[in-house]
Amino acid sequence: MSLRIVVPVKFVPDATGERRFGDDLTVDREDVDGLLSELDEYAVEQALQIAGEADDAVVTVVTVGPEDARDALRKALSMGADKAVHVEDDDVHGSDVIATSLVLAKAVEKTGFDVVVCGMASTDGTMGVLPALLAERLGVPQVTLLSEVSVSGGVVSGRRDGDAATERLEASLPAVVSVTDQSGEARYPSFKGIMAAKKKPVESLDLDDLGIGADEVGLGGSWTLVESAAERPARTAGTVVKDEGEGGRQLAEFLAGQKFI
């Protein structure tokens, strides 16, 4: 039986663009370009490496989002993933990470899995809790924040590097893992991979397909709420110190005034 590897990926606003909130205090995704979250690229890469070491494996990428989110799936497919699942439903709009984890868990269950490989966080929300929420909802062990990961003999194992120590961790399959940006550079899609991605299957699902009610997701079904948001203040000109013999003193006074010293 094939090793079933599932990679949740996210379509995020380009961090180099001008990001704003909409009237409902959710991220305005209409006026900024989007792309596959960079941290999810590491997860796709590790999934492909695991698949390459297996006798038989299938890598499926899953995303939740509007029509444009298919761009994230296409990028992952062009990297080498075998197929994709796109959950698209207007009622999902505004879902927080807890509501999103419900949708992803149901999609992963429907797809079937042996190991779920996640990025350490998304580059827009940067919460980093989705892997743990997925593991809880799926009822399987989690092995998170790995800089090295492998699967063999029904066990997933890896290395977690901390500030003061390195740990070796393992768990029996099925399991959820997350990998850090130290796990290895993600490959660039080749022209052949880009062309092949156009022929790979992408399954479309909505909330009805997953047995999820509209009241369980979206702004109304989320466990958290953004009450207010304000644009970041424009940058102001810095203080210029002309050194005419007193520059050191002025610099020290400025640093002391800012409580840096």
Side-chain angles (χ1 to χ4, degrees):
M1 183 176 178
S2 298
L3 177 66
R4 299 168 299 175
I5 307 170
V6 179
V7 187
V9 298
K10 190 174 184 182
F11 184 69
V12 300
D14 189 341
T16 63
E18 192 68 28
R19 293 180 290 179
R20 293 183 174 87
F21 287 105
D23 294 337
D24 59 0
L25 296 180
T26 63
V27 176
D28 181 3
R29 300 177 185 271
E30 296 295 328
D31 297 327
V32 63
D33 292 333
L35 71 170
L36 170 62
S37 175
E38 182 182 0
L39 293 174
D40 288 342
E41 291 187 21
Y42 293 97
V44 175
E45 176 62 33
Q46 292 307 306
L48 294 174
Q49 291 194 25
I50 292 170
E53 295 294 327
D55 293 332
D56 186 16
V58 176
V59 177
T60 305
V61 287
V62 180
T63 197
V64 179
E67 182 179 355
D68 288 348
R70 283 182 175 250
D71 289 346
L73 297 177
R74 293 189 189 98
K75 174 69 177 292
L77 291 172
S78 66
M79 290 173 65
D82 299 295
K83 58 181 180 176
V85 175
H86 181 198
V87 181
E88 181 182 5
D89 197 301
D90 290 342
D91 289 325
V92 173
H93 172 73
S95 296
D96 66 359
V97 67
I98 299 177
T100 300
S101 72
L102 171 63
V103 180
L104 277 174
K106 293 294 185 181
V108 169
E109 285 180 335
K110 188 176 183 65
T111 301
F113 72 101
D114 295 302
V115 58
V116 180
V117 184
C118 305
M120 62 187 290
S122 63
T123 53
D124 56 351
T126 64
M127 294 191 68
V129 297
L130 179 64
L133 292 171
L134 266 183
E136 176 67 21
R137 290 191 183 278
L138 295 171
V140 299
Q142 57 172 307
V143 185
T144 56
L145 300 176
L146 300 181
S147 55
E148 177 185 283
V149 60
S150 62
V151 174
S152 179
V155 173
V156 58
S157 58
R159 187 185 79 239
R160 178 191 291 159
D161 296 321
D163 292 335
T166 294
E167 301 173 280
R168 298 294 309 188
L169 305 168
E170 65 177 35
S172 299
L173 299 182
V176 173
V177 305
S178 69
V179 297
T180 72
D181 55 357
Q182 301 300 309
S183 58
E185 287 297 320
R187 67 193 67 185
Y188 289 102
S190 64
F191 178 75
K192 181 179 179 182
I194 293 172
M195 297 305 294
K198 297 179 179 181
K199 299 180 181 179
K200 292 179 179 179
V202 179
E203 181 180 8
S204 296
L205 301 174
D206 58 20
L207 293 181
D208 288 340
D209 295 323
L210 301 176
I212 299 174
D215 60 338
E216 299 178 85
V217 296
L219 290 171
S222 292
W223 291 36
T224 59
L225 175 68
V226 177
E227 293 187 340
S228 64
E231 288 191 24
R232 179 184 301 169
R235 288 188 177 184
T236 57
T239 301
V240 178
V241 175
K242 294 183 179 180
D243 188 5
E244 297 177 352
E246 294 293 319
R249 182 191 300 275
Q250 293 181 59
L251 179 59
E253 290 175 350
F254 173 79
L255 293 175
Q258 299 295 318
K259 298 183 178 181
F260 291 138
I261 59 173

